[in-house]
Amino acid sequence: MSRRVVRQSKFRHVFGQAVRNDQCYDDIRVSRVTWDSSFCAVNPKFVAIIIDASGGGAFLILPLNKTGRIDKAYPTVCGHTGPVLDIDWCPHNDHVIASGSEDCTVMVWQIPENGLDAALSEPVVVLEGHSKRVGIVSWHPTARNVLLSAGCDNQVVIWNVGTGEAMISLDDMHPDVIFSVSWSRNGSLLCTACKDKKVRIIDPRKKKIVTEKDKAHEGARPMRAIFLADGNIFTTGFSRMSERQLALWKSPICVQEMDSSNGVLLPFYDPDTSIVYLCGKGDSSIRYFEITDEAPFVHYLNTFSTKEPQRGMGYMPKRGLDVNKCEIARFYKLHERKCEPIIMTVPRKVNKLEEVLREFKSLRDRVILQDRRIARLEDQVSKVAM
């Protein structure tokens, strides 16, 4: 009886590849704010990067093809009076972006078709309602003009961007700072991770906590929680001994320890492939795991490593990928002075017919080249004979 030693997976050989230097975005002053945000947001048209700015907060908006060295005088979005902490592109309009800042406001911006040609300081709408800095902004995945914000005042506010008013305010559910907020796939539920070490699933329409998990991770450092496609919750955090952990909250509960690094793990989830990518702030690697129905449910696939640590990470939506090149994910890694795209691909199996055709074309090209050489030599011989 043969025993299968290696688990079969379509994504076992997913590999990452950094692009050439001329396809990177150079000379960018990436923000130094001590906030565990990704500092980068990407869509199929633009990449947005939070930068250092004197006298307020600002972020860059670059068209994807605007690679190479970025001029220091390049126009920015600069309407906030405090450092920008988080940005998020609207999934329904590639020219609309929201930003949250230390100045306690959320601003929504309209970006011109070809990007900025002058500094943008007038937002489309300013959303005021938080009493402390706003560290999280997230658009609703299915409803237009619905934006969520969460601040250090321990409240979550859901805004109607069209009217500029708060539709729902959840201000009595979190006794401490909110580390992360995630929408469910259809936007009917919220999942939050709080400094009190609890992960909560909230029905915002009913303003009710559906369920909560106490001490999801026992460490005091920040944790993250995201919804998966099947409604389960995936979290990253720290153990009591400050070791980094990942956990899948289903029955039975799966908790795995990773390493003893102190960088907060930012999870990015692809519902089409059921792969979770973990990017640690200050790490120089991206680890990826496949989530299945087989124990232990979270299966390590591989690690993509580079030499330089990452300050932040942007994640391209699936509609912005080049599927003809078998691309399944693309990250925009922030260095201290650079943004570097990283492409994740699945090697395609070459079938026998393609192999034979390739060999035939190569042989045919060589024959054509040989015929041209023979014809050229015959011309030279005839000229000499004359």
Side-chain angles (χ1 to χ4, degrees):
M1 179 177 169
S2 63
R3 184 182 175 189
R4 192 175 70 193
V5 178
V6 180
R7 186 185 67 88
Q8 289 187 344
S9 170
K10 294 177 183 177
F11 307 105
R12 172 165 295 283
H13 302 290
V14 169
F15 72 97
Q17 186 174 14
V19 300
R20 300 192 311 270
N21 281 335
D22 62 341
Q23 293 178 303
C24 296
Y25 308 87
D26 286 312
D27 210 10
I28 296 170
R29 307 179 310 277
V30 177
S31 175
R32 298 175 179 271
V33 176
T34 55
W35 182 256
D36 293 315
S37 165
S38 60
F39 291 156
C40 182
V42 193
N43 70 16
K45 291 187 177 180
F46 302 103
V47 53
I49 303 167
I50 302 175
I51 59 171
D52 262 342
S54 56
F59 55 96
L60 277 174
I61 302 286
L62 302 172
L64 289 186
N65 58 6
K66 176 72 178 172
T67 54
R69 184 179 173 277
I70 307 301
D71 195 328
K72 289 181 180 177
Y74 194 85
T76 62
V77 180
C78 53
H80 286 286
T81 57
V84 177
L85 300 181
D86 197 20
I87 49 178
D88 192 32
W89 287 104
C90 176
H92 309 291
N93 187 338
D94 286 340
H95 295 273
V96 174
I97 188 170
S99 58
S101 167
E102 280 193 8
D103 63 11
C104 309
T105 64
V106 178
M107 294 185 181
V108 179
W109 310 85
Q110 178 78 35
I111 307 303
E113 181 69 32
N114 298 317
L116 300 179
D117 51 13
L120 183 61
S121 58
E122 292 296 324
V124 176
V125 62
V126 179
L127 307 173
E128 297 177 323
H130 288 281
S131 59
K132 292 185 180 178
R133 59 183 180 173
V134 181
I136 299 168
V137 289
S138 179
W139 290 94
H140 194 284
T142 57
R144 291 179 71 92
N145 287 340
V146 177
L147 176 68
L148 175 148
S149 65
C152 292
D153 53 3
N154 310 338
Q155 69 170 332
V156 177
V157 182
I158 298 175
W159 305 88
N160 181 340
V161 175
T163 62
E165 297 175 350
M167 296 189 295
I168 299 169
S169 182
L170 310 173
D171 51 9
D172 56 353
M173 295 184 178
H174 302 89
D176 216 325
V177 177
I178 302 165
F179 288 140
S180 76
V181 181
S182 169
W183 291 100
S184 62
R185 192 91 186 273
N186 60 8
S188 61
L189 297 173
L190 295 175
C191 174
T192 65
C194 182
K195 195 175 181 180
D196 65 355
K197 303 180 185 178
K198 288 186 178 181
V199 171
R200 296 171 174 85
I201 297 178
I202 300 169
D203 186 332
R205 292 184 184 88
K206 296 179 181 177
K207 296 187 178 182
K208 175 185 174 185
I209 297 174
V210 177
T211 183
E212 64 181 15
K213 173 64 183 174
D214 193 15
K215 292 186 178 178
H217 296 276
E218 295 192 350
R221 305 225 40 207
M223 59 181 178
R224 291 284 188 276
I226 57 172
F227 266 111
L228 303 182
D230 57 6
N232 289 319
I233 304 296
F234 181 89
T235 62
T236 62
F238 293 81
S239 69
R240 190 180 297 171
M241 303 300 292
S242 292
E243 292 182 316
R244 293 199 292 193
Q245 293 178 322
L246 56 89
L248 178 63
W249 300 99
K250 63 177 288 180
S251 182
I253 294 169
C254 168
V255 180
Q256 296 181 21
E257 291 191 352
M258 284 180 51
D259 53 35
S260 55
S261 179
N262 60 0
V264 175
L265 288 168
L266 305 176
F268 298 94
Y269 174 62
D270 181 358
D272 298 321
T273 58
S274 294
I275 294 178
V276 172
Y277 302 87
L278 300 183
C279 309
K281 295 206 75 172
D283 289 6
S284 56
S285 62
I286 301 172
R287 294 180 177 89
Y288 33 107
F289 299 78
E290 185 178 6
I291 298 175
T292 69
D293 294 328
E294 301 176 20
F297 309 114
V298 181
H299 305 273
Y300 171 76
L301 289 175
N302 212 333
T303 300
F304 169 78
S305 297
T306 54
K307 293 179 181 177
E308 295 186 48
Q310 54 226 18
R311 298 281 296 276
M313 193 70 73
Y315 181 61
M316 175 67 80
K318 190 59 75 71
R319 58 197 173 87
L321 304 181
D322 187 351
V323 294
N324 292 325
K325 294 181 180 177
C326 306
E327 189 178 0
I328 64 166
R330 192 189 308 160
F331 292 92
Y332 285 73
K333 174 181 174 178
L334 299 186
H335 301 244
E336 191 173 349
R337 303 279 298 184
K338 183 171 84 168
C339 176
E340 178 186 37
I342 295 168
I343 295 169
M344 297 285 182
T345 55
V346 178
R348 189 174 58 173
K349 229 182 222 180
V350 180
N351 61 38
K352 194 67 180 172
L353 178 61
E354 285 181 338
E355 208 173 310
V356 171
L357 282 172
R358 195 179 299 142
E359 194 174 341
F360 167 73
K361 287 177 182 176
S362 175
L363 186 62
R364 184 190 62 189
D365 292 342
R366 278 183 292 185
V367 169
I368 291 171
L369 191 62
Q370 198 71 23
D371 287 346
R372 287 175 182 167
R373 284 176 182 166
I374 292 170
R376 200 160 48 243
L377 286 170
E378 285 177 346
D379 288 343
Q380 290 177 2
V381 168
S382 62
K383 286 178 183 176
V384 170
M386 288 172 65

